[in-house]
Amino acid sequence: MAERSLAVRRKSRSGFVCKRRRAPAQPSAGCAPVARKRPSSSGEGPPAETPCSNDSDEDMFGDYDSFCGNDSLLAQVDDIEQKYLEDKNKDIKAAEQVIPEKLHSRIHQNKQDYFSTLKSVVAHKADKGDASQMNKNDPVDSNQELTESILEDLPSSQLLFFDELSSGSRIPAMSQRQNKCVNSSLDKVGSLSALCPDAECRNRPTDFSSESKSDLFKTESLKDHLKSAMTGNAKAQTLQVSKTKQLKEAVLSEEICVAKKTIESSSVDIGPFYGLPSKVKDLFRQLRGIETLYEWQHDCLMLESLQQRKNLIYSLPTSGGKTLVAEIIILQELLCRQKDVLMILPYVAIVQEKVRGLSSFGIELGFLVEEYAGSKGRFPPIKRRIKKSLYIATIEKGHALVNSLIETERIDDLGLVVVDELHMLGEGSRGATLEITLAKILYTSKNTQIIGMSATLNNVGDLQKFLQAEYYTNNFRPVELKEYVKIRDTIYAVDSKTENGFSFSRLLDFKYSSNLEKADPDHIIALVTEVIPKYSCLIFCPTKKNCENVASMVCKYLTKEFRSHRENEKQDILQNLKNIGNGSVCPVLKQTIPFGIAYHHSGLTNDERKCIEEAYSTGVLCLLACTATLAAGVNLPARRVILRAPYVANDFMKKNQYKQMIGRAGRAGIDSAGESILIAQEKDKHLVWDLVNSPLENCYSNLLLELTKGMQSLLLSLVGLKIAVTHEEVNNFMCSTLLGVQQQLLSKEKSLSEIIKDGLENLIDKGLLKGRIYEKDHNSKHTLTITPLGKATYKGSIDLAYCNLLYRELKKGLEGLILESNLHLLYLATPYDMTSNCRPDWMIYLRQFNQLSAAEQKVADTVGVPESFITKKASGQAIRKNVDSAVVNRLYLSFVLYTLLKETNIWRVSEKFNMSRGYVQNLLNSAASFASCVLHFCEELEEFWVYKALLTELTKQLTYCVKTELIPLMEVAGVLEARAKQLYNAGYKTLAHLANANPETLVKMIEHLSRRQAKQIVSSAKMLLSEKAEALQEEVEELLKVPTDIPGTY
């Protein structure tokens, strides 16, 4: 296996440490061998140093004594020769015949060994193993062994001398066997780079007489002969340069050749675990419990396309282990190639989970993990001088990060981009943003590798063409998945071989009373009680309300035995939820949790959702009724997955959604098989058959469908970042997008060039770009430029549909910004895209308005919502004056945020405004993100300087929405409000407290905190503290840096 041979490679390096000082020289055509000390049999001895003088008249071999320790080479040769002559028991004549031949063989063997060593350090191990075996088995005279030992410490120059005594360049059988071993080892390791071979040096022509060979040991001693030959070589006039200079030039040439190959190779091998230190393997075992890789993971990591740093798309079923491969590739980039990495994930919760999971690796291996999600992230990122960074980002933040790197000309610092859920390219505005991000990377950086992974890809050819990528796929699942469909009380196995796609499996064996039959016509209770509480189960429901209803219905008909299963731990969960809600617990959860059942959807707060996920992962909860969002979110597998109906909301389920849901069935290392059961009605039977047997949906570009967030946003940033500033350049860029690949399918009415022209003209009309587009001459060289408003729009990631409106409202705010409270600022930071779904309760609206101070009430009038309008709406009177409903709704949402920042209690606020707490949580998260965008928007427009400080503080308040003293703890990935309160009350009041905490002590002091969670919290705190310290150090070094352009200096 590769890992085994890699371990050999690592072990063999200790004997081959070689320090060199390089002298400037022109590289030669070939790569000559490097003069170095041969390692002794014990593997000990000082590292060799090459001579570094350029004087051709010096003593040619003076500096080479260092290759043999303290004694000179000639003295050693003399001592060995004396021992040889004193051996009375050997036949001298036989020795004269054997030794030169064996000496010549040994010389060539040593040369071959050296070249093999250059190819791979593994070769040294093979060399020594074979050589020792030959010495054991060959009945060779002890004198021969003694003479062969002479050459163990010979430098390259002496080897070359003996080479010239040779009558041919034949390679002994032993060397051939050694080379076979070397090649075999190299094949196993999958070496990423090949060193420069020098056939000329290995097959150097020789010119000598047989007489000189026969007289080698007859007429003069070996010492005298060596001395004579070296003196003769040094005095030879035929050479234009000395052998010393030739040798040094050859050494330098070889080093340059090796360096070039190393730079061109995919990575630098620094250890036995796929080029990584063995410590990485230990960390995966300690932190993840991963002992070995699956066969497909090994095959994928050894792909030639990865070795050559080609882009790669790989696709496997859910739970197949795709993420582990990506993480190993990420570590190779960070540790071996010393480049930054961007990892793009679809949701904030997954980003936070991944930050927690990889912070431990960063602490141990010396790289930084930076979170780019919600309002978090620095643009451009700090340029680190020593440590490399892993940026873990959502799609939107990843795009903003790439923009900032392109603008600061640092995109080449990004060595690798990893995209999870690559199929999201085809999903609305987020897919358009992801496509824009990848297209910019492909166009601006030829050195950045892109890795995309997904479980649900179909038209891979289009994606390959877009990403210029290779493709790898495998149907591996660690646990077998069995698919079933239930119609009435019959369960059918999905079987594409049969005529109708289903084969009879079994009848449900569960006695239903008449009342139970009415309450549970779909037999959900029968299906779940077959697996819970011993095993886990997920029920995917079409709507949020249906999740709560199913959870309530199931627990009503369960026996008391289910309550007794891990009863104390369930009570702990309820107490934890009560603390989260400041005394309030959802009535449904209060009813279901004692039975080990809960619901999971967007109506939960972040703290509640995290608490339920942890309880399910540990087995305290055995059944979750959830919406489809869980399938694409955090990894919560189950023994059985039940699909309540083939619908998501009111729409019939797509194949991609179906695959993601059933992919949660089967827990690796726990279950021997996973089951999915789709509950269907008789009327949907044919639709269900099409669903389970149809191919996955194709992935299409959304640049045209999402106009303001897609095409127009892309065109604006292309000009703003100076990627493309003419119509012709924009056309060239667009051809490299997924839309460019699929233009014949997607743009049938207009050509791509016409669409681009219309988009540019629209941006000019909006005042975001300056320039002209000539209809007849679309290849015109007229340059387009971006306006200040356009630059602020793309740098703030503002939707082009709202950029002009935002500018007008900020401008109007300058005329009379009311700062008695933060209500006016909150109105400006309330997201536009949430107003359309808002339905104000007018009585609550009026009540909240009346509770405001006179100055705060003036805010409503300033933005365009007079008191009379609210009063009339609350009393049901007719409204004659038209008031913009979007402004009215936005002000209502800003009232919610205002109350939330004052009370910092989502439960109380949701009750006060008659909203679900999940909606309030989503509003808060969206407002924090949008406030961050408005801040970046204002930073680009000098006239809005006053907003910078105000919005910075407001963004921080919205991000955490807690009391000020808890904010330092909330900055740590994975620490939410409830946990922050626990930590603060336990005495952990600062980031430094957490970073230096003992995980074991945390587990004892903090209720409901597992050892794994404690370790992740400490690692995340250490990582955040390290980031802040690094940033300050960078700032200090930058301040102390001596300018290079000081007047009067040269």
Side-chain angles (χ1 to χ4, degrees):
M1 188 175 172
E3 295 170 53
R4 190 177 298 113
S5 52
L6 281 166
V8 172
R9 171 189 292 190
R10 183 65 174 163
K11 188 175 180 182
S12 66
R13 288 190 172 193
S14 59
F16 276 85
V17 178
C18 182
K19 300 178 182 177
R20 295 192 184 99
R21 289 174 291 174
R22 303 187 180 189
Q26 295 299 319
S28 62
C31 297
V34 183
R36 61 164 60 177
K37 181 185 185 306
R38 299 277 298 177
S40 64
S41 58
S42 63
E44 298 177 355
E49 295 184 7
T50 57
C52 51
S53 173
N54 289 324
D55 187 1
S56 61
D57 295 328
E58 64 182 343
D59 179 359
M60 179 175 170
F61 297 95
D63 289 342
Y64 280 83
D65 283 355
S66 62
F67 281 83
C68 299
N70 297 325
D71 296 328
S72 73
L73 173 68
L74 295 179
Q76 277 197 339
V77 171
D78 191 41
D79 290 343
I80 294 167
E81 185 185 21
Q82 290 301 321
K83 291 177 184 178
Y84 159 72
L85 292 173
E86 289 169 5
D87 193 341
K88 304 291 185 180
N89 300 322
K90 302 299 175 183
D91 183 55
I92 295 177
K93 185 174 181 180
E96 287 177 331
Q97 294 173 355
V98 172
I99 290 172
E101 180 179 350
K102 288 292 183 179
L103 195 58
H104 167 253
S105 172
R106 182 64 175 176
I107 292 165
H108 276 277
Q109 177 186 326
N110 285 338
K111 285 179 64 182
Q112 291 297 324
D113 288 351
Y114 174 70
F115 280 104
S116 301
T117 300
L118 277 182
K119 288 188 74 177
S120 169
V121 180
V122 178
H124 177 59
K125 277 289 186 192
D127 178 5
K128 290 189 73 174
D130 255 21
S132 61
Q133 190 67 32
M134 289 297 294
N135 288 338
K136 277 185 181 179
N137 298 337
D138 290 353
V140 180
D141 186 298
S142 63
N143 287 329
Q144 175 190 335
E145 295 176 0
L146 188 64
T147 309
E148 286 182 355
S149 70
I150 296 172
L151 296 171
E152 282 293 329
D153 291 330
L154 285 183
S156 297
S157 56
Q158 267 75 349
L159 293 178
L160 291 174
F161 160 72
F162 278 113
D163 184 35
E164 290 172 358
L165 298 177
S166 153
S167 61
S169 57
R170 55 190 177 86
I171 300 173
M174 188 172 82
S175 293
Q176 292 175 355
R177 285 196 297 273
Q178 288 168 343
N179 286 340
K180 281 185 182 177
C181 180
V182 169
N183 292 335
S184 173
S185 299
L186 287 172
D187 289 340
K188 287 180 183 177
V189 173
S191 178
L192 302 180
S193 61
L195 299 177
C196 290
D198 188 358
E200 183 182 348
C201 290
R202 277 185 284 193
N203 300 300
R204 187 185 300 275
T206 55
D207 183 15
F208 60 93
S209 64
S210 58
E211 185 180 352
S212 64
K213 185 173 82 171
S214 62
D215 290 342
L216 176 61
F217 290 97
K218 289 182 181 179
T219 58
E220 53 185 345
S221 71
L222 180 61
K223 173 183 174 183
D224 292 337
H225 189 89
L226 279 173
K227 189 181 293 185
S228 172
M230 286 188 285
T231 304
N233 287 341
K235 294 180 179 180
Q237 299 299 314
T238 55
L239 295 174
Q240 297 300 313
V241 292
S242 71
K243 280 195 174 182
T244 304
K245 190 169 183 180
Q246 280 187 322
L247 184 61
K248 289 177 182 177
E249 286 180 355
V251 168
L252 185 59
S253 172
E254 186 244 349
E255 288 178 349
I256 292 170
C257 188
V258 171
K260 283 181 180 178
K261 287 288 184 182
T262 302
I263 292 168
E264 292 169 2
S265 68
S266 61
S267 65
V268 181
D269 187 351
I270 61 172
F273 184 67
Y274 298 99
L276 292 165
S278 55
K279 185 176 183 180
V280 174
K281 188 176 182 179
D282 295 337
L283 287 172
F284 276 117
R285 183 171 59 250
Q286 293 166 14
L287 302 175
R288 304 279 181 82
I290 298 172
E291 294 286 346
T292 57
L293 270 62
Y294 297 129
E295 186 179 350
W296 83 263
Q297 291 172 327
H298 171 76
D299 293 343
C300 188
L301 286 167
M302 301 306 292
L303 285 174
E304 188 177 351
S305 54
L306 277 183
Q307 315 290 12
Q308 296 174 359
R309 285 191 54 75
K310 292 181 180 178
N311 297 341
L312 177 69
I313 300 169
Y314 63 100
S315 176
L316 280 97
T318 303
S319 304
K322 296 184 295 295
T323 305
L324 177 60
V325 170
E327 288 175 349
I328 292 174
I329 296 171
I330 286 170
L331 293 176
Q332 287 173 341
E333 194 70 24
L334 289 165
L335 304 180
C336 301
R337 298 194 73 251
Q338 291 288 302
K339 289 279 190 177
D340 296 329
V341 176
L342 169 61
M343 188 178 197
I344 298 177
L345 302 170
Y347 303 110
V348 174
I350 304 177
V351 168
Q352 292 172 342
E353 183 184 40
K354 190 57 67 179
V355 169
R356 291 195 300 272
L358 289 177
S359 290
S360 301
F361 286 84
I363 294 296
E364 294 293 331
L365 300 172
F367 62 86
L368 299 174
V369 180
E370 301 185 38
E371 179 183 343
Y372 280 76
S375 61
K376 293 184 178 180
R378 188 192 294 251
F379 304 102
I382 298 173
K383 185 175 177 64
R384 314 286 183 181
R385 297 190 183 184
I386 302 173
K387 290 186 177 181
K388 296 303 169 184
S389 292
L390 168 58
Y391 310 114
I392 304 180
T394 56
I395 292 171
E396 293 76 14
K397 288 293 181 179
H399 179 221
L401 177 66
V402 168
N403 279 347
S404 68
L405 291 174
I406 293 172
E407 185 179 30
T408 54
E409 298 182 348
R410 288 168 50 194
I411 190 64
D412 282 333
D413 291 347
L414 201 60
L416 174 68
V417 176
V418 174
V419 182
D420 195 7
E421 310 295 354
L422 186 64
H423 63 269
M424 290 197 72
L425 278 167
E427 297 185 12
S429 61
R430 306 195 76 215
T433 303
L434 181 57
E435 180 181 346
I436 291 169
T437 305
L438 295 176
K440 286 177 181 175
I441 294 168
L442 287 165
Y443 196 83
T444 58
S445 175
K446 303 305 178 187
N447 299 319
T448 304
Q449 186 182 19
I450 296 176
I451 305 290
M453 52 182 168
S454 174
T456 53
L457 288 176
N458 191 26
N459 56 331
V460 179
D462 287 352
L463 300 182
Q464 279 187 266
K465 192 172 180 182
F466 165 46
L467 295 177
Q468 303 159 31
E470 302 290 318
Y471 180 56
Y472 176 87
T473 187
N474 197 303
N475 292 323
F476 172 82
R477 269 186 62 93
V479 177
E480 182 188 2
L481 174 61
K482 299 176 181 178
E483 295 180 52
Y484 300 97
V485 173
K486 187 192 86 66
I487 301 174
R488 293 196 181 97
D489 60 350
T490 306
I491 295 179
Y492 300 92
V494 175
D495 186 358
S496 58
K497 297 177 183 178
T498 60
E499 187 177 346
N500 63 354
F502 304 122
S503 61
F504 174 81
S505 178
R506 64 187 173 95
L507 289 172
L508 276 177
D509 183 19
F510 190 87
K511 294 180 181 179
Y512 269 75
S513 65
S514 58
N515 289 335
L516 184 55
E517 187 73 42
K518 290 177 183 177
D520 182 24
D522 292 324
H523 310 106
I524 292 173
I525 293 172
L527 294 174
V528 300
T529 51
E530 289 178 346
V531 290
I532 66 169
K534 186 177 181 181
Y535 300 106
S536 57
C537 182
L538 293 174
I539 304 177
F540 284 101
C541 303
T543 64
K544 290 185 284 188
K545 189 63 178 173
N546 193 226
C547 291
E548 297 177 28
N549 291 341
V550 167
S552 296
M553 183 270 294
V554 170
C555 72
K556 282 179 184 177
Y557 295 95
L558 294 180
T559 62
K560 292 182 179 180
E561 296 173 1
F562 287 90
R563 292 184 69 103
S564 60
H565 180 72
R566 303 179 74 165
E567 187 173 4
N568 292 336
E569 291 169 274
K570 292 171 187 172
Q571 290 303 316
D572 288 342
I573 295 170
L574 281 173
Q575 184 59 47
N576 198 12
L577 288 171
K578 192 174 182 179
N579 295 336
I580 289 169
N582 291 311
S584 301
V585 180
C586 169
V588 176
L589 292 176
K590 194 173 184 179
Q591 175 197 4
T592 62
I593 284 178
F595 290 91
I597 299 170
Y599 65 85
H600 184 288
H601 57 59
S602 61
L604 296 168
T605 65
N606 291 343
D607 283 305
E608 287 175 325
R609 191 157 51 244
K610 192 165 188 291
C611 176
I612 288 170
E613 288 169 359
E614 288 172 356
Y616 178 81
S617 296
T618 55
V620 179
L621 297 179
C622 55
L623 174 64
L624 290 185
C626 52
T627 54
T629 53
L630 184 139
V634 292
N635 186 23
L636 295 176
R639 172 67 171 268
R640 176 175 288 179
V641 169
I642 300 170
L643 281 66
R644 172 73 177 76
Y647 291 89
V648 175
N650 296 321
D651 301 322
F652 196 80
M653 191 179 292
K654 295 179 181 177
K655 183 60 178 281
N656 287 353
Q657 293 170 326
Y658 172 74
K659 278 291 188 183
Q660 282 195 322
M661 290 181 199
I662 68 171
R664 295 298 182 196
R667 298 167 298 172
I670 300 174
D671 299 326
S672 57
E675 300 173 334
S676 72
I677 302 175
L678 170 58
I679 299 173
Q681 305 302 318
E682 189 71 40
K683 64 182 179 65
D684 292 329
K685 187 174 180 179
H686 294 294
L687 290 173
V688 168
W689 186 90
D690 289 338
L691 174 68
V692 298
N693 290 290
S694 63
L696 294 163
E697 289 84 10
N698 286 336
C699 180
Y700 293 115
S701 171
N702 277 269
L703 287 181
L704 294 182
L705 297 176
E706 300 290 335
L707 198 58
T708 56
K709 289 185 178 180
M711 175 63 82
Q712 290 186 8
S713 175
L714 172 56
L715 296 177
L716 179 66
S717 61
L718 286 180
V719 176
L721 294 168
K722 298 179 181 177
I723 296 172
V725 293
T726 67
H727 194 171
E728 182 181 6
E729 290 175 353
V730 173
N731 275 339
N732 291 338
F733 179 92
M734 293 303 300
C735 289
S736 65
T737 62
L738 182 59
L739 174 61
V741 172
Q742 299 175 333
Q743 57 182 299
Q744 293 181 343
L745 290 172
L746 303 179
S747 54
K748 294 179 180 178
E749 296 179 2
K750 289 184 178 180
S751 68
L752 184 58
S753 181
E754 289 175 322
I755 294 170
I756 293 168
K757 174 181 167 296
D758 291 345
L760 291 172
E761 286 180 343
N762 188 279
L763 292 173
I764 292 170
D765 292 341
K766 285 185 176 181
L768 304 176
L769 291 181
K770 289 188 295 186
R772 291 183 181 181
I773 303 296
Y774 294 95
E775 192 167 345
K776 292 182 180 179
D777 185 14
H778 68 270
N779 287 327
S780 170
K781 296 293 184 182
H782 289 282
T783 302
L784 295 164
T785 56
I786 195 165
T787 64
L789 176 59
K791 187 175 183 182
T793 300
Y794 91 77
K795 291 197 75 171
S797 301
I798 304 296
D799 189 338
L800 270 63
Y802 306 118
C803 62
N804 284 296
L805 176 59
L806 176 63
Y807 177 81
R808 288 195 300 270
E809 290 190 329
L810 289 169
K811 188 79 172 173
K812 188 177 180 181
L814 290 178
E815 298 170 5
L817 189 63
I818 299 169
L819 295 176
E820 183 175 299
S821 70
N822 56 12
L823 178 61
H824 200 168
L825 275 175
L826 279 170
Y827 174 81
L828 295 173
T830 301
Y832 290 104
D833 55 4
M834 292 199 71
T835 58
S836 59
N837 297 323
C838 178
R839 300 290 180 268
D841 183 315
W842 295 107
M843 290 304 296
I844 294 173
Y845 208 146
L846 181 60
R847 190 185 309 127
Q848 292 300 315
F849 180 85
N850 289 332
Q851 290 176 5
L852 299 175
S853 67
E856 290 171 335
Q857 288 181 351
K858 190 179 177 183
V859 173
D861 194 53
T862 302
V863 301
V865 185
E867 181 182 1
S868 59
F869 173 83
I870 301 172
T871 305
K872 288 180 180 179
K873 290 292 282 186
S875 61
Q877 298 179 34
I879 306 294
R880 293 180 181 177
K881 185 179 179 181
N882 288 328
V883 178
D884 189 346
S885 61
V887 175
V888 173
N889 292 353
R890 195 165 180 233
L891 181 63
Y892 187 68
L893 293 177
S894 64
F895 281 179
V896 177
L897 292 169
Y898 179 61
T899 309
L900 193 54
L901 288 186
K902 283 201 301 184
E903 300 190 12
T904 67
N905 187 322
I906 289 177
W907 265 92
R908 196 174 299 139
V909 172
S910 64
E911 290 171 357
K912 188 174 287 189
F913 284 88
N914 195 25
M915 293 176 168
S916 76
R917 60 194 185 281
Y919 182 85
V920 175
Q921 178 76 72
N922 187 36
L923 172 63
L924 180 63
N925 295 342
S926 299
S929 183
F930 186 66
S932 174
C933 292
V934 176
L935 171 60
H936 293 305
F937 180 89
C938 293
E939 285 174 343
E940 297 302 318
L941 296 169
E942 198 171 320
E943 59 193 298
F944 294 148
W945 62 271
V946 70
Y947 288 113
K948 295 177 188 177
L950 296 171
L951 286 171
T952 300
E953 186 59 32
L954 182 68
T955 301
K956 198 171 185 179
Q957 290 178 22
L958 289 169
T959 299
Y960 303 110
C961 192
V962 292
K963 293 179 180 178
T964 307
E965 63 265 23
L966 296 180
I967 289 179
L969 302 178
M970 294 276 286
E971 289 179 338
V972 178
V975 176
L976 300 177
E977 183 181 3
R979 186 72 77 205
K981 286 179 181 177
Q982 285 181 308
L983 292 167
Y984 189 86
N985 293 334
Y988 297 95
K989 299 184 178 182
T990 66
L991 184 61
H993 283 145
L994 270 187
N996 292 285
N998 185 333
E1000 298 298 330
T1001 307
L1002 277 180
V1003 171
K1004 292 176 184 176
M1005 297 183 69
I1006 308 298
E1007 291 183 352
H1008 319 302
L1009 183 69
S1010 69
R1011 187 169 281 98
R1012 174 177 154 274
Q1013 292 166 343
K1015 288 179 179 179
Q1016 285 188 340
I1017 287 173
V1018 172
S1019 294
S1020 297
K1022 284 181 178 178
M1023 178 57 66
L1024 186 58
L1025 196 65
S1026 176
E1027 281 179 35
K1028 292 190 173 188
E1030 290 276 339
L1032 291 173
Q1033 186 62 37
E1034 298 284 347
E1035 193 174 336
V1036 168
E1037 291 181 7
E1038 192 62 34
L1039 284 171
L1040 297 177
K1041 188 178 178 181
V1042 179
T1044 56
D1045 57 349
I1046 300 175
T1049 60
Y1050 300 98

